[in-house]
Amino acid sequence: MRISELSARSQVPIPTIKYYLREGLLPQGEQTSATRAVYGEDHLRRLRLIRALIEVGRLPVAAIRKVVDAVQDEDLPVHDMLGTAHYALGPEVEPDPDEAAWRDAADRARALAGDLGWAINPNAPALDELAQSLLTLERLGMAADPEALRPYARAAHELAEHELAGVPFEGPRDAAVEHLVIGTVLYGRLFDVLRRLAQESESSRLLGPSRAAGGHSE
């Protein structure tokens, strides 16, 4: 297909496609003349991936390039390729100014992952996110011990099993990363919405008018 058809099918403007080509995010098309190239389904898949990384993942070009490089490296195992995308999705975490407290929280974050039996890269950025959350909870007087966190861990593990079962590992590498990014971000938001709705329902059950009246409803 010509670039005009690629643009129409992907809904990505031609100038944007040309920018992705210049940046190396999109492979060059097959040259049919000095001024014309044709593109295939692989280019369409790559554009879908880039759109997912930009529109859903909200990633900058530098982070997208890392993910695309991982996708293009056929020697890189799929697990590591998906990990590159996962790591790119998380926020950058600055160590806490209180170095002793930060080290303690980081140690406990890694210990918690180990106690759960999770196979986690010790340098995974999400461990620093977990450490930061533990530290913040403690400073606010909220429970941050392993038992308090276990229900969240169980729910997270169950969701991870469900979500990863739907990733097309055997298909095109672009499609696997696209599925992971969209699922991680959008289903993450969906889970947060459902949890807030469930909290409202539980609050109503515990504290609603019928409960305040002794549990009898008219």
Side-chain angles (χ1 to χ4, degrees), residues 20-121:
Y20 294 157
L21 288 166
R22 289 195 303 272
E23 291 294 317
L25 302 179
L26 187 67
Q28 296 294 325
E30 180 183 350
Q31 291 294 139
T32 57
S33 71
T35 59
R36 181 175 297 177
V38 293
Y39 304 88
E41 294 299 320
D42 289 349
H43 293 89
L44 198 58
R45 275 196 299 269
R46 177 61 54 80
L47 283 173
R48 284 201 297 264
L49 171 60
I50 294 171
R51 286 189 64 186
L53 293 170
I54 291 175
E55 297 173 14
V56 178
R58 305 293 183 184
L59 298 184
V61 170
I64 293 173
R65 185 174 289 108
K66 289 181 181 179
V67 175
V68 168
D69 286 347
V71 170
Q72 294 179 158
D73 184 359
E74 296 286 345
D75 293 328
L76 188 69
V78 173
H79 171 70
D80 295 334
M81 176 189 71
L82 297 178
T84 301
H86 251 148
Y87 292 0
L89 290 174
E92 290 189 14
V93 177
E94 292 291 333
D96 190 86
D98 185 339
E99 292 186 10
W102 173 255
R103 285 197 302 271
D104 178 65
D107 288 342
R108 285 187 291 111
R110 285 160 176 75
L112 176 62
D115 291 343
L116 292 167
W118 291 355
I120 305 295
N121 184 323

Side-chain angles (χ1 to χ4, degrees), residues 108 112 130-153 195:
R108 285 187 291 111
L112 176 62
L130 178 57
Q132 187 180 60
S133 297
L134 293 175
L135 202 52
T136 302
L137 282 169
E138 288 177 343
R139 287 174 175 168
L140 294 174
M142 301 288 285
D145 58 273
E147 284 308 308
L149 299 177
R150 204 164 294 279
Y152 297 93
R195 185 178 63 157

